[in-house]
Amino acid sequence: MYLSFRLLSSKMDKHLLQGKFRGCLLGSLMGDCLGGPYEGETVSSGDKIIIQRYFDKMEKPDFASPFKKYTDDTAMMKSVAQFLTDKPDPDYNYLSKLFVDEFFKEPRRGYGQGIVTIFQKLRNSKYEDIFKPAKEQFNGSGSYGNGGAMRIAPVALYYHNDYNNMLNVARHVTKVTHNHPLGVNGALLQCIAVHQALLMDPKNSINPKEFCNELIKKIKIIEEESEEEDHHFITAYQEKLNRIPFLLNSKYDDELEDEILYSLGNGIEAYESVPTAIFCFLKAQGDIPRIETSNILRRTLQYAITLGGDTDTIACMAGAITGAFLGEDQINKQLLSHCEKADDIVVLADALYKKALKS
Ligand code: R7I
Ligand code: MG
Ligand code: MG
C-alpha cells in the first residue's frame, strides 16, 4: 500500500473520524439535493454561469428559498445506514424491507424505472428470496444502473477497519437490486473510493495519480474475480480509471470537456458515472476554470453538476468521497441549509459512527 493510505483509523483522532462520517453522508446528501434539479439535462456554457450564480446565491446568509429535495439516492442511502446501525450482523431481509417501506412511503423520489418492479416483487413474495427479483431484471441479466453505487457510502464508513468484510457486505447490499457485474463492481468501486478517502489525512493534499493507481489495483482484483466471459465486463472499470490521470493533466478547455464526457460518461449506468464521480473529486482538488469558489466540496459538486446528465447521482457520489476526505468542517453550512433533512443525516452519521466504533 502507498504511504498516504496508511493513516490507519485506529490511530485517527476520534473527532476527525466522526467529522469524516458526517462529511461523507452530508456530502452525499448535498450532491443529491443540489444536483437533483439538473438531472437529465445537457448543460450549456450559459447554464454554467447560471449554476455559478445558483451556488453563489445559496451561500448568502439572507437568501431564503424552499428546500432542495433529496431523491432516491438519499432515500436509499438512509436505509443502508439504518440497516448497519440497527443490526450488528448484516440482515439483508431487514435491508430489503427498509428499502421497500421507504419506497412505498414516498414513491415520488425519482427512483430508477426498474426498481419499482423489484420492490413490488419483494413485497408480493413476502421477502421469500430477497435476491431473486434483482436477478430477474432486464431479462435475467440484472441491472447495471448506478443505484447500487449511489447508496453505498455508509458501508465504507461502517467497515472502515475491515476491508474484506466491507467488500462482502457492499456486494450483498448491492445485489438486493443490482445483479449485473457492472452494477455490482461499480458499487464496489465507489465503496473503495470512499474508504480510501476516509483513511487519508485531509491536511495532506491528494496525489491523484497515486489515488487512481490504488483504486485500479483493488478493482482489478475484483474484476478478475468476476466470473464473466465477456471481456468488456472484466476490464470496464480499470480501463476508465486508467484514463483519469491523462484527463487531469490535460489543458482545460471546451474540447477537453467533450473528451471527459466521451471517455468517462455522465449517464445513469454505473460504468458511465462512478469513474466520473471519482474524476470530479480529484479534479476539484485544484482550481477549475469558470468555477469560482475556494471551497473544495462546493467545487466538486458544482463541477459534477456542470457535466450534466445524471447530475444528482454523480454529484452525490463525488460529494460522498470528498466529504469522507475533508470531513464536516469543510462543509459550507449556508449551502447545506438549503438541503432537505440535513439534521437527520447528522443524527444518522453519528449513530453509524457510534455503532462502528463498538463493533
Ligand atoms: O440503478 P437504478 O436504481 O437507477 C438509479 C438512477 C439514479 O440516477 C437515480 O438518481 C435515479 O434517477 O435513477 O435503477 P435501474 O432501473 O436498475 O437502472 C436505471 C436504468 O438503467 C434503467 O431504467 C435502464 O434504463 C438502465 N439499465 C439497463 N438497460 C438495459 N439493460 C440498467 N440495467 C440495464 C440493463 O441490463
Ligand atoms: Mg436520484
Ligand atoms: Mg440520478
Side-chain angles (χ1 to χ4, degrees):
M1 260 204 181
Y2 292 90
L3 255 184
S4 49
F5 296 105
R6 288 175 58 200
L7 175 74
L8 294 177
S9 51
S10 54
K11 290 187 194 141
M12 199 189 286
D13 174 78
K14 293 244 165 75
H15 178 73
L16 173 63
L17 187 60
Q18 185 171 11
K20 279 170 164 272
F21 269 58
R22 287 186 182 187
C24 175
L25 298 194
L26 288 173
S28 174
L29 171 81
M30 289 170 81
D32 183 21
C33 291
L34 302 175
Y38 293 91
E39 191 180 24
E41 308 259 320
T42 309
V43 176
S44 68
S45 28
D47 295 332
K48 285 180 191 160
I49 298 169
I50 295 169
I51 293 170
Q52 172 74 33
R53 289 195 195 128
Y54 165 68
F55 273 84
D56 286 346
K57 260 201 238 163
M58 283 188 290
E59 278 190 352
K60 293 211 169 84
D62 52 356
F63 181 69
S65 75
F67 279 131
K68 304 283 174 269
K69 293 193 84 171
Y70 67 76
T71 76
D72 58 327
D73 304 46
T74 301
M76 296 189 90
M77 179 275 277
K78 279 169 50 187
S79 295
V80 173
Q82 175 119 35
F83 143 81
L84 295 166
T85 308
D86 289 354
K87 306 266 176 180
D89 295 321
D91 175 348
Y92 301 104
N93 265 65
Y94 179 64
L95 173 68
S96 61
K97 282 180 194 148
L98 288 175
F99 281 155
V100 170
D101 289 351
E102 183 70 36
F103 171 75
F104 283 104
K105 204 168 67 192
E106 293 187 313
R108 290 173 192 276
R109 289 273 184 191
Y111 284 84
Q113 283 175 353
I115 293 299
V116 184
T117 314
I118 294 185
F119 291 164
Q120 279 163 345
K121 284 186 181 175
L122 282 170
R123 197 163 76 158
N124 294 344
S125 70
K126 301 204 164 49
Y127 305 92
E128 197 187 353
D129 175 356
I130 54 152
F131 297 107
K132 188 162 169 257
K135 287 181 193 157
E136 292 168 353
Q137 291 295 89
F138 300 99
N139 299 318
S141 65
S143 170
Y144 49 59
N146 54 21
M150 72 189 185
R151 64 179 189 235
I152 208 68
V155 178
L157 302 182
Y158 187 79
Y159 291 101
H160 63 277
N161 267 333
D162 187 350
Y163 181 77
N164 288 335
N165 228 345
M166 174 187 87
L167 293 184
N168 179 35
V169 174
R171 192 172 269 119
H172 286 87
V173 164
T174 304
K175 285 188 166 203
V176 174
T177 50
H178 291 69
N179 200 53
H180 194 290
L182 289 175
V184 176
N185 291 350
L188 294 180
L189 176 59
Q190 169 66 11
C191 191
I192 294 167
V194 172
H195 182 250
Q196 254 179 224
L198 182 81
L199 297 189
M200 290 177 75
D201 186 343
K203 286 202 242 38
N204 300 332
S205 53
I206 287 192
N207 177 333
K209 194 152 198 288
E210 194 179 287
F211 193 91
C212 263
N213 282 342
E214 188 64 24
L215 286 178
I216 292 168
K217 215 166 68 183
K218 292 172 185 161
I219 203 67
K220 197 162 184 271
I221 296 170
I222 291 167
E223 289 191 313
E224 281 168 0
E225 279 169 0
S226 316
E227 287 162 16
E228 282 303 321
E229 280 161 25
D230 189 329
H231 182 72
H232 174 62
F233 297 163
I234 300 177
T235 55
Y237 289 103
Q238 299 162 50
E239 280 176 22
K240 291 236 167 176
L241 289 172
N242 270 318
R243 297 174 193 166
I244 291 181
F246 168 76
L247 294 169
L248 286 170
N249 287 333
S250 304
K251 190 177 152 303
Y252 203 75
D253 55 25
D254 290 339
E255 269 175 35
L256 179 65
E257 282 211 359
D258 292 342
E259 178 65 27
I260 290 164
L261 293 186
Y262 178 75
S263 307
L264 301 178
N266 65 356
I268 205 168
E269 302 83 3
Y271 56 92
E272 293 284 312
S273 51
V274 178
T276 316
I278 294 165
F279 174 76
C280 291
F281 158 67
L282 294 172
K283 180 78 194 158
Q285 299 303 312
D287 288 340
I288 303 177
R290 292 184 293 241
I291 296 193
E292 287 155 32
T293 176
S294 57
N295 182 285
I296 296 179
L297 179 63
R298 168 177 165 181
R299 197 184 298 139
T300 308
L301 303 180
Q302 193 177 326
Y303 181 59
I305 294 166
T306 59
L307 293 180
D310 195 358
T311 47
D312 63 335
T313 305
I314 297 175
C316 150
M317 295 189 293
I321 306 169
T322 309
F325 173 50
L326 296 175
E328 187 196 20
D329 294 349
Q330 299 301 314
I331 291 178
N332 181 305
K333 300 292 176 295
Q334 204 52 43
L335 211 50
L336 179 64
S337 73
H338 293 284
C339 301
E340 185 188 3
K341 297 274 167 75
D343 293 345
D344 289 5
I345 298 296
V346 172
V347 172
L348 204 60
D350 286 353
L352 188 68
Y353 169 76
K354 273 196 199 129
K355 206 71 182 201
L357 285 207
K358 267 195 209 147
S359 65

